[in-house]
Amino acid sequence: MLDQLRSGKSGVLAIVLTLYITFIGGRVVFHQIEQMRDGSWAQRRTDLALDEDVMARRELGPLAPWIAAIRAKTPEDAVIGVRFLPEHEHEAPGWIASLRFLAWPRRVLTPQEFLDHIGGDGANLDGKCFGLQLPDEEPPFAQRWRVVAKGRGWRLYRWIEEP
Amino acid sequence: MSIHEGLIALGVPLLLGAGILRAAGIGPRDGVFCWLGRLFPVGATALALVLFAFMAGGLSVRSPAPGLVAGLAGGALLFLPRRRTIERYPVEERTHPLARLVAAVLAAFCFVAVAFVCAGDVNRPVHRDDDALIWGMKARYLVHHETFDDALGETLADPTRGGHHLDYPLLNPLLQVWVTTLAGEYDDVAVRYPTMAWLVSFVLLLLGATRRRCGAVTGSLLTLGLVGVGVVWVVGTGAKSDLITALALLGCLDSAARWMDEDGARRHVASCALFAAVLVWSKNEGMMLALAALLAALMTRPRAVVRGLARPSAPWFVVPVAVVLMQWWFNTRYGLVNDLLAGGEGTGGRSLLAVLIENFPRRCGTIARAFAGNMAWVIADDGSIVHRFGYHDGLYLAFLALIALCPRRALAGSTRMVTLTALGGLAAYFLVYVVSYQDLDWHLYTSLPRVQSHLLPAMVLGIALMLRGLRRDARRRISREPART
């Protein structure tokens, strides 16, 4: 190392770079210790890179009970329309995307897609049709829907086929 | 997924990788870290090719046959006798025992970091972001349909199914299919496991590449420096393909640089070709970076590269070409097109060149600021300099600074190829943002650190090569100095 230092510009550069890398390496070691002490270093590190988006993807959040209910109470060929509250306008697209992924191979549709699916006269409504309703209000034609699962602030309905 | 299923999931690609590397004449004598780091990427890609062949042939991917075929092929390649060829290996410099100990401790820290991160994510389901909506969703489609049948085409064409960027390469989804078929059903957590294997291979490969160039201690420090970079965890823990692209580019450049440094050793050509196959099958960006690397190699040693392609080891380059053709066949069969190349929304059917010319003056400043900001620091709106460690921890800046400070070193020998590839890759990404049809701020915010991470290992390799050059210069200068009395 001292020999390199003596050798001029390139030696100094090599030492500066080595010290710099040592500094970065030192931070890794420091964070390892910190993680052992108080939680997930990786999580906080990734938060730095992609902010709250990464934070949110790490847990299922409100999706967890809905997914559990859908997987347990609906057949694999089910068609599930999802209706959110207006205050969920920003989260809704992300939730729909996650629901489509986690409820696969069931089809998860937005309200408009669900209306398109059942047709203008509701001709395609059958026992495979479900509704995940977030507002605490009854769906249209409430007497034809049966609650198959519910939790705080949400209900999962199934369309009752005519006998 | 049970432990024995996990062992099979990992064991089959490792066995296949070991067999293929042996057939290519690549052994641990080029460095144990490097050899270990090559096992999984090569084996996993070969396994994905087997799965692809089964699905294309109308055979169910859920049967145990693909795994058996891959395992048997790996075993045969590993244990059957092969023609011996004489290979020369470079003489390794002797390292002081204390330096070896320090390097071992530093390398251990790298793996401790990987273990911590993997342990933190081992029970977290993949459910959103590109992990789920691009890569995971495609794997779900493939598992559900089991073969490349017409029904798969209907699912791919249905926008309410939720898949995005369906033209993206199949390597990552096929490895998720492999894990899923072993587990019996789609496992929201187990689909992360292949990425974890890629992450371990990535660290091994980087240790092997850097330690060979600038010594055990500095190489391990450089690796530790990269392992500590925040964005590596973003791409290294989910189910995205960015880590595969970064690893494959590193493997490709490392092999090509060894080939140039060791006077055209045949095994390095094979290794370069195998990693090129991984690269072009990882992401569409992989294809772009492969072209950048090829161009850089031609700008470094044009005659040697052309001659090398005519040598007996050149048939290995059939593998990446075959991979490109297979992906092209799949996309054509199902009418899948790339949104950027197809013009995307709002381009009014104009050519990419027309979009480039129109957008360049308007977007140039914003993109340049974002690129500069990602180096390590960014100038805030109020003019203050904000420290933004956590993106690339300054390694990106260190690479560019080193080029500016010693350009002769950066453009000498095999270092030139690595430098030009990294700079060419940056230029290519710059142009991608210029022609992007997405909202520019959103596109830069959500993807820039991630896509630049593809180039980060190549930059670290470039730093290692430049340090090697500087050390040689220094030694030469010292040996020329007159002895002092």
Side-chain angles (χ1 to χ4, degrees):
Chain A
M1 186 71 90
L2 285 172
D3 287 344
Q4 285 185 5
L5 189 60
R6 279 169 49 208
S7 68
K9 187 182 87 173
S10 44
V12 173
L13 266 178
I15 288 174
V16 168
L17 204 64
T18 307
L19 287 174
Y20 178 69
I21 293 160
T22 311
F23 164 66
I24 293 173
R27 288 175 59 245
V28 176
V29 177
F30 171 75
H31 281 297
Q32 292 291 351
I33 296 163
E34 200 184 23
Q35 184 197 23
M36 283 186 266
R37 209 179 54 203
D38 63 6
S40 171
W41 164 53
Q43 185 160 320
R44 277 179 290 116
R45 296 281 294 161
T46 50
D47 293 345
L48 280 173
L50 285 176
D51 303 329
E52 73 282 355
D53 191 45
V54 173
M55 186 72 174
R57 78 166 186 175
R58 293 193 167 268
E59 304 297 340
L60 285 174
L63 297 176
W66 310 342
I67 293 297
I70 288 171
R71 285 181 174 174
K73 305 283 184 184
T74 67
E76 291 206 337
D77 58 352
V79 179
I80 304 157
V82 187
R83 201 166 146 226
F84 293 109
L85 290 166
E87 68 206 53
H88 294 142
E89 187 189 349
H90 293 295
E91 297 101 320
W95 284 346
I96 288 273
S98 290
L99 283 169
R100 281 178 172 156
F101 179 72
L102 291 167
W104 175 270
R106 299 156 189 88
R107 298 185 65 194
V108 175
L109 305 177
T110 61
Q112 187 56 52
E113 287 166 349
F114 190 72
L115 287 174
D116 291 343
H117 170 78
I118 61 176
D121 56 355
N124 290 333
L125 273 167
D126 57 21
K128 290 177 192 167
C129 290
F130 288 77
L132 179 64
Q133 176 99 338
L134 256 68
D136 202 9
E137 58 186 56
E138 292 189 327
F141 307 106
Q143 70 283 4
R144 296 295 306 276
W145 292 98
R146 179 167 56 89
V147 176
V148 290
K150 63 179 176 182
R152 205 174 138 200
W154 64 272
R155 282 170 193 214
L156 180 66
Y157 293 93
R158 182 173 197 169
W159 182 256
I160 306 164
E161 284 185 287
E162 284 185 78
Chain B
M1 178 174 248
S2 66
I3 291 199
H4 77 269
E5 286 162 352
L7 287 175
I8 295 171
L10 193 63
V12 171
L14 287 178
L15 182 67
L16 193 53
I20 293 170
L21 290 182
R22 181 174 176 267
I26 302 163
R29 284 185 65 187
D30 278 317
V32 175
F33 281 128
C34 191
W35 180 72
L36 288 172
R38 286 168 172 172
L39 285 177
F40 182 80
V42 170
T45 307
L47 175 65
L49 285 170
V50 172
L51 293 168
F52 186 98
F54 266 76
M55 296 183 83
L59 302 168
S60 170
V61 79
R62 276 189 179 276
S63 77
L68 274 174
V69 168
L72 286 172
L77 288 168
L78 196 58
F79 295 110
L80 288 180
R82 71 178 190 97
R83 195 160 55 92
R84 287 197 175 275
T85 52
I86 298 166
E87 290 273 1
R88 280 173 296 163
Y89 291 88
V91 181
E92 285 209 40
E93 284 179 32
R94 292 188 66 182
T95 313
H96 191 277
L98 183 63
R100 277 213 299 271
L101 179 69
V102 172
V105 171
L106 291 169
F109 266 119
C110 295
F111 291 107
V112 168
V114 168
F116 266 103
V117 169
C118 290
D121 273 344
V122 85
N123 283 322
R124 293 203 163 107
V126 169
H127 71 98
R128 59 174 292 179
D129 213 350
D130 289 359
D131 312 47
L133 306 182
I134 296 177
W135 308 104
M137 204 53 128
K138 206 160 178 180
R140 287 227 196 254
Y141 295 171
L142 298 178
V143 171
H144 184 72
H145 290 282
E146 300 186 19
T147 63
F148 296 152
D149 55 12
D150 292 338
L152 173 63
E154 286 167 24
T155 304
L156 287 166
D158 183 353
T160 66
R161 285 305 202 170
H164 293 267
H165 295 298
L166 297 166
D167 63 297
Y168 279 15
L170 285 165
L171 174 58
N172 180 352
L174 282 170
L175 291 178
Q176 292 188 35
V177 168
W178 165 245
V179 174
T180 302
T181 51
L182 277 173
E185 59 180 14
Y186 196 91
D187 187 325
D188 303 319
V189 173
V191 291
R192 280 183 192 279
Y193 298 165
T195 312
M196 292 176 182
W198 288 107
L199 181 60
V200 174
S201 302
F202 173 73
V203 174
L204 285 165
L205 208 58
L206 195 62
L207 277 170
T210 51
R211 286 163 62 112
R212 169 61 61 116
R213 277 22 181 268
C214 56
V217 175
T218 316
S220 302
L221 272 172
L222 274 172
T223 306
L224 193 55
L226 184 55
V227 165
V229 170
V231 76
V232 171
W233 302 125
V234 175
V235 299
T237 55
K240 292 186 181 78
S241 291
D242 298 277
L243 183 74
I244 308 178
T245 307
L247 174 150
L249 182 65
L250 171 70
C252 223
L253 292 176
D254 178 37
S255 307
R258 283 171 195 252
W259 173 72
M260 288 181 182
D261 293 342
E262 293 173 27
D263 200 22
R266 202 182 282 183
R267 62 188 185 282
H268 298 314
V269 179
S271 169
C272 183
L274 290 168
F275 276 101
V278 184
L279 184 59
V280 296
W281 217 17
S282 59
K283 289 191 84 179
N284 286 343
E285 290 96 317
M287 179 79 89
M288 184 179 80
L289 296 174
L291 289 174
L294 180 63
L295 205 62
L298 283 168
M299 287 166 76
T300 306
R301 297 256 182 95
R303 280 189 205 153
V305 171
V306 172
R307 255 202 329 268
L309 288 172
R311 284 186 178 177
S313 48
W316 285 100
F317 279 102
V318 170
V319 184
V321 174
V323 163
V324 171
L325 289 175
M326 286 160 69
Q327 185 63 45
W328 174 80
W329 171 83
F330 179 83
N331 287 352
T332 309
R333 172 153 171 30
Y334 293 113
L336 307 173
V337 288
N338 182 265
D339 55 350
L340 192 68
L341 295 178
E345 295 157 10
T347 53
R350 288 167 300 158
S351 70
L352 271 185
L353 187 64
V355 177
L356 180 73
I357 291 167
E358 189 185 312
N359 286 355
F360 196 83
R362 278 191 295 123
R363 292 187 164 190
C364 198
T366 310
I367 301 170
R369 264 198 306 279
F371 271 54
N374 268 310
M375 285 185 195
W377 296 277
V378 65
I379 299 168
D381 291 339
D382 62 358
S384 60
I385 294 174
V386 179
H387 188 223
R388 212 160 68 166
F389 258 12
Y391 276 152
H392 295 136
D393 276 355
L395 280 172
Y396 176 8
L397 181 67
F399 173 72
L400 295 180
L402 213 49
I403 294 174
L405 289 168
C406 31
R408 214 161 46 86
R409 266 289 132 230
L411 296 173
S414 57
T415 316
R416 181 192 185 102
M417 180 194 58
V418 177
T419 305
L420 291 179
T421 304
L423 294 178
L426 281 177
Y429 280 125
F430 194 98
L431 293 179
V432 167
Y433 285 110
V434 172
V435 297
S436 166
Y437 66 90
Q438 311 267 19
D439 174 70
L440 184 60
D441 287 336
W442 177 86
H443 202 184
L444 285 166
Y445 176 74
T446 55
S447 65
L448 184 61
R450 190 163 43 79
V451 297
Q452 283 188 344
S453 74
H454 301 162
L455 297 167
L456 215 51
M459 290 180 179
V460 169
L461 177 63
I463 292 173
L465 283 164
M466 282 188 256
L467 285 178
R468 181 185 67 174
L470 288 171
R471 199 163 66 169
R472 282 180 184 168
D473 286 352
R475 278 188 191 152
R476 234 173 273 140
R477 214 168 293 137
I478 291 162
S479 65
R480 277 204 301 269
E481 269 184 25
R484 286 177 190 155
T485 52

